[in-house]
Amino acid sequence: MGGTGAAAGQGPWTLVGRKRDLDELSEALGQAAAGHGSLVLVAGEPGIGKTRLADELAARARSLGAGVLWGTCWEGDGAPAFWPWIQALRGHAARRDPSVLRRELGDGAAEVARLVPGLAGRIGELPPSPALEPDQARFRLFDAVAGLLGRAGDTEPLLLVLDDLHWADRSSLSLLRFVARELRDRRVLVVGTYRDVELDRSPSAEPLARLAGRARCVVLGGLARDEVAELLALTGGTRPDAELAAAVH
């Protein structure tokens, strides 16, 4: 059961039963704003409230003047490599003034432009990239993305959410591992969510396990009985009796 509910006059996005988890993420956000970036992974079963928790953190980040980037992995076939990164960086480019974006891209503009369609049209002509071996080209791309995020964090604290990492391609996870190593003194918090109960049949299991060994992890469990009662009250508009709350719990 996810930790959301709605009641008349309260809007659809009341968060229930995740105060401790949200406080932990908010602490990491505050540390990132102070120049101590990190990677936090939020794990749990389907429907437990991972994305909802990230939504609430994003709202807090915006209220504090931080920028928010978001990318979601695609479950089906056909998505290009680096798909969640493409979404996040495309969203970042769209909200930046071209002169600021050029400064944030720095020497890695050509590499990032190859990853994000339409970027070159916003910042003007780019120098040609040198001919490199695949491993070298991959490293230059990773370094360019990490550099962009770091310089974007100099403009404003930054929260990057990568949702549904259990569906991520290996290239996206490799880039995440690279970026996570570069965050120590940057104003960037990266939050990744994934379903831990499905990893045994996911090609992302091994790289996600390696990431989890280097990251702060928040594992979401079910709601307590009183939290279930609160969720039922928010959803149905009336407080349930103890027997009903216990049965649903």
Side-chain angles (χ1 to χ4, degrees):
M1 179 180 292
T4 61
Q10 293 191 359
W13 297 114
T14 302
L15 186 68
V16 174
R18 297 296 180 208
K19 182 180 184 305
R20 180 181 299 176
D21 303 312
L22 183 58
D23 286 347
E24 183 172 352
L25 291 173
S26 297
E27 178 186 6
L29 180 63
Q31 291 170 347
H36 306 289
S38 62
L39 167 65
V40 181
L41 296 179
V42 179
E45 64 186 59
I48 201 71
K50 302 179 295 298
T51 301
R52 177 66 192 92
L53 183 63
D55 274 327
E56 189 68 21
L57 180 67
R60 287 198 177 186
R62 293 186 184 99
S63 73
L64 296 172
V68 177
L69 310 182
W70 195 291
T72 301
C73 303
W74 177 248
E75 179 181 7
D77 297 329
F82 302 109
W83 177 236
W85 291 96
I86 292 170
Q87 295 172 74
L89 297 176
R90 186 169 59 193
H92 177 70
R95 70 189 188 91
R96 277 292 196 258
D97 180 88
S99 62
V100 175
L101 183 60
R102 278 194 295 271
R103 176 177 58 79
E104 292 176 348
L105 285 164
D107 294 338
E111 282 71 27
V112 178
R114 285 203 305 274
L115 181 66
V116 183
L119 181 62
R122 296 213 65 226
I123 60 175
E125 186 175 353
L126 297 171
S129 297
L132 299 171
E133 295 295 325
D135 286 348
Q136 293 176 309
R138 182 183 179 89
F139 181 87
R140 283 179 64 96
L141 171 62
F142 286 12
D143 188 51
V145 171
L148 167 59
L149 293 175
R151 288 184 288 271
D154 293 339
T155 304
E156 61 184 352
L158 200 64
L159 169 65
L160 168 61
V161 178
L162 300 175
D163 202 14
D164 290 334
L165 287 175
H166 50 280
W167 291 327
D169 60 282
R170 284 181 171 265
S171 295
S172 290
L173 294 176
S174 294
L175 177 52
L176 177 55
R177 189 168 69 252
F178 185 98
V179 167
R181 292 173 175 171
E182 305 296 313
L183 296 179
R184 184 171 300 175
D185 59 351
R186 309 315 297 249
R187 297 204 301 166
V188 182
L189 173 64
V190 181
V191 173
T193 75
Y194 69 96
R195 297 177 180 177
D196 52 358
V197 298
E198 296 187 357
L199 283 185
D200 57 345
R201 59 178 186 273
S202 169
S204 304
E206 181 184 346
L208 267 177
R210 289 201 301 269
L211 276 170
R214 296 175 175 269
R216 181 186 304 188
C217 295
V218 175
V219 181
L220 302 187
L223 300 179
R225 185 175 300 183
D226 60 336
E227 294 166 345
V228 170
E230 182 182 356
L231 181 59
L232 290 172
L234 287 167
T235 305
T238 59
R239 189 79 181 179
D241 59 41
E243 185 177 356
L244 175 58
V248 173
H249 177 262

